[in-house]
CSV table of all heavy atoms in Angstrom, one decimal:
chain,number,residue,atom,x,y,z
B,171,THR,N,-49.4,16.1,0.0
B,171,THR,CA,-50.4,16.9,0.5
B,171,THR,C,-49.9,17.5,1.9
B,171,THR,O,-50.2,18.6,2.3
B,171,THR,CB,-51.7,16.4,0.6
B,171,THR,OG1,-52.0,15.6,-0.6
B,171,THR,CG2,-52.9,17.4,0.6
B,172,PHE,N,-49.6,16.6,2.8
B,172,PHE,CA,-49.2,16.8,4.2
B,172,PHE,C,-47.7,16.3,4.5
B,172,PHE,O,-47.5,15.5,5.3
B,172,PHE,CB,-50.1,16.1,5.2
B,172,PHE,CG,-51.6,16.4,4.8
B,172,PHE,CD1,-52.5,15.5,4.4
B,172,PHE,CD2,-52.1,17.8,5.3
B,172,PHE,CE1,-53.8,15.8,4.1
B,172,PHE,CE2,-53.4,18.0,5.1
B,172,PHE,CZ,-54.3,17.1,4.6
B,173,PRO,N,-46.8,17.0,3.7
B,173,PRO,CA,-45.3,16.4,4.0
B,173,PRO,C,-44.9,16.5,5.3
B,173,PRO,O,-44.3,15.6,5.9
B,173,PRO,CB,-44.5,17.2,3.0
B,173,PRO,CG,-45.3,18.4,2.7
B,173,PRO,CD,-46.7,17.9,2.9
B,174,MET,N,-45.2,17.7,6.0
B,174,MET,CA,-44.7,17.9,7.4
B,174,MET,C,-45.2,16.9,8.4
B,174,MET,O,-44.6,16.4,9.3
B,174,MET,CB,-45.0,19.3,7.9
B,174,MET,CG,-43.8,20.3,7.8
B,174,MET,SD,-42.1,19.5,7.9
B,174,MET,CE,-41.7,19.7,9.6
B,175,LEU,N,-46.6,16.7,8.1
B,175,LEU,CA,-47.2,15.9,9.2
B,175,LEU,C,-46.7,14.3,9.0
B,175,LEU,O,-46.5,13.7,10.0
B,175,LEU,CB,-48.8,15.8,8.8
B,175,LEU,CG,-49.7,14.9,9.8
B,175,LEU,CD1,-49.7,15.5,11.2
B,175,LEU,CD2,-51.1,14.9,9.2
B,176,SER,N,-46.4,14.0,7.7
B,176,SER,CA,-45.9,12.6,7.5
B,176,SER,C,-44.6,12.6,8.1
B,176,SER,O,-44.2,11.4,8.9
B,176,SER,CB,-45.8,12.2,6.0
B,176,SER,OG,-47.1,12.6,5.3
B,177,VAL,N,-43.6,13.4,8.0
B,177,VAL,CA,-42.4,13.3,8.5
B,177,VAL,C,-42.3,13.4,10.0
B,177,VAL,O,-41.6,12.7,10.8
B,177,VAL,CB,-41.3,14.2,7.9
B,177,VAL,CG1,-41.1,13.9,6.4
B,177,VAL,CG2,-41.5,15.7,8.1
B,178,ILE,N,-43.3,14.3,10.4
B,178,ILE,CA,-43.4,14.4,12.1
B,178,ILE,C,-43.9,12.9,12.6
B,178,ILE,O,-43.2,12.4,13.5
B,178,ILE,CB,-44.3,15.5,12.5
B,178,ILE,CG1,-43.7,16.8,12.2
B,178,ILE,CG2,-44.9,15.3,14.0
B,178,ILE,CD1,-44.6,17.9,12.5
B,179,LEU,N,-45.0,12.4,12.0
B,179,LEU,CA,-45.4,11.1,12.4
B,179,LEU,C,-44.4,10.1,12.3
B,179,LEU,O,-44.0,9.2,13.2
B,179,LEU,CB,-46.7,10.7,11.7
B,179,LEU,CG,-48.0,11.5,12.0
B,179,LEU,CD1,-49.0,11.1,11.1
B,179,LEU,CD2,-48.3,11.3,13.5
B,180,ALA,N,-43.6,10.2,11.3
B,180,ALA,CA,-42.5,9.1,11.0
B,180,ALA,C,-41.4,9.3,12.0
B,180,ALA,O,-41.0,8.2,12.6
B,180,ALA,CB,-41.8,9.3,9.6
B,181,ASN,N,-41.1,10.5,12.4
B,181,ASN,CA,-40.1,10.7,13.5
B,181,ASN,C,-40.6,10.2,14.8
B,181,ASN,O,-39.7,9.7,15.6
B,181,ASN,CB,-39.5,12.1,13.5
B,181,ASN,CG,-38.2,12.3,14.2
B,181,ASN,OD1,-37.3,11.3,14.0
B,181,ASN,ND2,-38.2,13.2,15.1
B,182,ILE,N,-41.8,10.3,15.0
B,182,ILE,CA,-42.4,9.9,16.3
B,182,ILE,C,-42.2,8.3,16.3
B,182,ILE,O,-41.7,7.8,17.3
B,182,ILE,CB,-43.9,10.2,16.4
B,182,ILE,CG1,-44.0,11.8,16.7
B,182,ILE,CG2,-44.5,9.5,17.8
B,182,ILE,CD1,-45.4,12.2,16.7
B,183,TRP,N,-42.6,7.7,15.2
B,183,TRP,CA,-42.4,6.1,15.0
B,183,TRP,C,-41.0,5.8,15.3
B,183,TRP,O,-40.8,4.8,16.0
B,183,TRP,CB,-42.9,5.8,13.7
B,183,TRP,CG,-42.8,4.4,13.3
B,183,TRP,CD1,-43.7,3.4,13.7
B,183,TRP,CD2,-41.8,3.7,12.6
B,183,TRP,NE1,-43.2,2.1,13.2
B,183,TRP,CE2,-42.1,2.3,12.5
B,183,TRP,CE3,-40.6,4.2,12.0
B,183,TRP,CZ2,-41.1,1.4,11.9
B,183,TRP,CZ3,-39.9,3.3,11.2
B,183,TRP,CH2,-40.1,1.9,11.2
B,184,ARG,N,-40.1,6.5,14.7
B,184,ARG,CA,-38.7,6.2,14.7
B,184,ARG,C,-38.2,6.3,16.1
B,184,ARG,O,-37.3,5.5,16.6
B,184,ARG,CB,-37.9,7.1,13.8
B,184,ARG,CG,-36.5,7.0,13.9
B,184,ARG,CD,-35.9,5.8,13.3
B,184,ARG,NE,-34.4,5.9,13.2
B,184,ARG,CZ,-33.6,4.8,13.1
B,184,ARG,NH1,-34.1,3.7,13.3
B,184,ARG,NH2,-32.4,5.0,13.1
B,185,GLY,N,-38.5,7.3,16.8
B,185,GLY,CA,-37.8,7.8,18.1
B,185,GLY,C,-38.4,7.4,19.3
B,185,GLY,O,-37.8,7.7,20.5
B,186,THR,N,-39.7,7.1,19.4
B,186,THR,CA,-40.4,7.0,20.8
B,186,THR,C,-39.8,5.9,21.6
B,186,THR,O,-39.7,6.1,22.9
B,186,THR,CB,-41.9,6.5,20.4
B,186,THR,OG1,-42.5,7.6,19.7
B,186,THR,CG2,-42.6,6.3,21.7
B,187,ALA,N,-39.1,4.8,21.1
B,187,ALA,CA,-38.3,3.8,21.9
B,187,ALA,C,-37.6,4.4,22.9
B,187,ALA,O,-37.5,4.0,24.1
B,187,ALA,CB,-37.7,3.0,21.0
B,188,PHE,N,-36.8,5.4,22.6
B,188,PHE,CA,-35.8,6.1,23.4
B,188,PHE,C,-36.5,6.7,24.6
B,188,PHE,O,-36.0,6.3,25.8
B,188,PHE,CB,-35.0,7.1,22.6
B,188,PHE,CG,-33.9,7.7,23.4
B,188,PHE,CD1,-32.7,7.1,23.7
B,188,PHE,CD2,-34.1,8.9,24.0
B,188,PHE,CE1,-31.7,7.7,24.3
B,188,PHE,CE2,-33.1,9.6,24.8
B,188,PHE,CZ,-31.9,9.0,24.9
B,189,SER,N,-37.6,7.4,24.5
B,189,SER,CA,-38.2,8.1,25.6
B,189,SER,C,-39.0,7.0,26.4
B,189,SER,O,-38.9,7.0,27.6
B,189,SER,CB,-39.3,9.1,25.1
B,189,SER,OG,-38.6,10.1,24.3
B,190,MET,N,-39.4,6.1,25.7
B,190,MET,CA,-40.2,4.9,26.4
B,190,MET,C,-39.3,4.2,27.4
B,190,MET,O,-39.6,4.0,28.5
B,190,MET,CB,-40.8,4.0,25.3
B,190,MET,CG,-41.4,2.7,26.0
B,190,MET,SD,-41.7,1.4,24.7
B,190,MET,CE,-40.0,0.7,24.7
B,191,MET,N,-38.0,4.0,27.0
B,191,MET,CA,-37.3,3.2,27.7
B,191,MET,C,-36.6,4.0,28.9
B,191,MET,O,-36.6,3.6,30.1
B,191,MET,CB,-36.0,2.7,26.9
B,191,MET,CG,-36.4,1.6,25.9
B,191,MET,SD,-35.0,1.0,25.1
B,191,MET,CE,-34.2,2.2,24.1
B,192,ASN,N,-36.4,5.4,28.7
B,192,ASN,CA,-36.1,6.2,29.8
B,192,ASN,C,-37.1,6.4,30.8
B,192,ASN,O,-36.8,6.3,32.0
B,192,ASN,CB,-35.6,7.6,29.2
B,192,ASN,CG,-34.1,7.7,28.7
B,192,ASN,OD1,-33.4,6.9,29.2
B,192,ASN,ND2,-33.9,8.4,27.7
B,193,TYR,N,-38.2,6.6,30.3
B,193,TYR,CA,-39.4,6.7,31.2
B,193,TYR,C,-39.8,5.5,32.0
B,193,TYR,O,-40.1,5.5,33.3
B,193,TYR,CB,-40.7,7.4,30.6
B,193,TYR,CG,-40.5,8.8,30.1
B,193,TYR,CD1,-40.9,9.2,28.9
B,193,TYR,CD2,-39.7,9.5,30.9
B,193,TYR,CE1,-40.6,10.5,28.5
B,193,TYR,CE2,-39.4,10.9,30.5
B,193,TYR,CZ,-39.9,11.4,29.2
B,193,TYR,OH,-39.8,12.8,29.0
B,194,ASN,N,-39.7,4.4,31.2
B,194,ASN,CA,-39.9,3.1,31.8
B,194,ASN,C,-39.0,2.8,33.0
B,194,ASN,O,-39.4,2.5,34.1
B,194,ASN,CB,-39.8,1.9,30.8
B,194,ASN,CG,-40.7,0.9,31.2
B,194,ASN,OD1,-41.0,0.5,32.3
B,194,ASN,ND2,-41.0,0.2,30.0
B,195,ALA,N,-37.8,3.1,32.8
B,195,ALA,CA,-36.6,3.0,33.7
B,195,ALA,C,-36.9,4.0,35.0
B,195,ALA,O,-36.8,3.5,36.1
B,195,ALA,CB,-35.2,3.1,33.3
B,196,ALA,N,-37.2,5.1,34.6
B,196,ALA,CA,-37.5,6.1,35.8
B,196,ALA,C,-38.7,5.7,36.6
B,196,ALA,O,-38.7,5.8,37.8
B,196,ALA,CB,-37.6,7.5,35.2
B,197,LEU,N,-39.8,5.4,35.8
B,197,LEU,CA,-41.0,4.9,36.7
B,197,LEU,C,-40.7,3.8,37.6
B,197,LEU,O,-41.3,3.6,38.7
B,197,LEU,CB,-42.2,4.6,35.8
B,197,LEU,CG,-42.7,5.9,35.0
B,197,LEU,CD1,-43.8,5.4,34.0
B,197,LEU,CD2,-43.3,6.7,36.0
B,198,ALA,N,-39.9,2.9,37.1
B,198,ALA,CA,-39.6,1.6,37.9
B,198,ALA,C,-38.9,2.0,39.2
B,198,ALA,O,-38.9,1.0,40.0
B,198,ALA,CB,-38.9,0.6,37.1
B,199,GLU,N,-38.1,3.0,39.2
B,199,GLU,CA,-37.4,3.3,40.4
B,199,GLU,C,-38.3,4.1,41.5
B,199,GLU,O,-37.5,4.4,42.5
B,199,GLU,CB,-36.2,4.3,40.0
B,199,GLU,CG,-35.1,3.4,39.5
B,199,GLU,CD,-33.9,4.2,38.8
B,199,GLU,OE1,-33.8,5.3,39.2
B,199,GLU,OE2,-33.2,3.7,38.0
B,200,ILE,N,-39.4,4.6,41.1
B,200,ILE,CA,-40.3,5.2,42.2
B,200,ILE,C,-40.6,4.1,43.3
B,200,ILE,O,-41.0,3.1,43.0
B,200,ILE,CB,-41.5,5.8,41.6
B,200,ILE,CG1,-41.2,6.8,40.5
B,200,ILE,CG2,-42.4,6.3,42.6
B,200,ILE,CD1,-42.4,7.3,39.9
B,201,PRO,N,-40.3,4.4,44.6
B,201,PRO,CA,-40.4,3.5,45.7
B,201,PRO,C,-42.0,3.3,45.8
B,201,PRO,O,-42.9,4.1,45.7
B,201,PRO,CB,-40.0,4.3,46.8
B,201,PRO,CG,-39.2,5.5,46.4
B,201,PRO,CD,-39.6,5.8,45.0
B,202,PRO,N,-42.3,1.9,45.7
B,202,PRO,CA,-43.8,1.6,45.6
B,202,PRO,C,-44.5,2.0,46.9
B,202,PRO,O,-45.7,2.4,46.7
B,202,PRO,CB,-43.7,0.0,45.6
B,202,PRO,CG,-42.3,-0.4,45.8
B,202,PRO,CD,-41.5,0.8,45.6
B,203,GLU,N,-43.8,2.3,48.0
B,203,GLU,CA,-44.5,2.6,49.2
B,203,GLU,C,-45.3,4.0,49.0
B,203,GLU,O,-46.5,4.2,49.5
B,203,GLU,CB,-43.7,2.9,50.4
B,203,GLU,CG,-42.8,1.7,50.7
B,203,GLU,CD,-41.5,1.5,49.9
B,203,GLU,OE1,-40.8,2.6,49.9
B,203,GLU,OE2,-41.3,0.7,49.2
B,204,ILE,N,-44.6,4.9,48.3
B,204,ILE,CA,-45.2,6.3,48.0
B,204,ILE,C,-46.6,6.2,47.3
B,204,ILE,O,-47.5,6.8,47.7
B,204,ILE,CB,-44.2,7.1,47.2
B,204,ILE,CG1,-42.9,7.2,47.9
B,204,ILE,CG2,-44.7,8.5,46.9
B,204,ILE,CD1,-41.8,8.2,47.3
Side-chain angles (χ1 to χ4, degrees):
Chain B
T171 320
F172 303 108
M174 260 333 264
L175 181 66
S176 306
V177 296
I178 285 175
L179 290 174
N181 194 48
I182 294 175
W183 176 79
R184 168 78 171 151
T186 295
F188 184 78
S189 304
M190 174 194 85
M191 292 191 291
N192 277 332
Y193 290 142
N194 213 331
L197 289 173
E199 277 172 21
I200 298 177
E203 303 86 56
I204 300 183

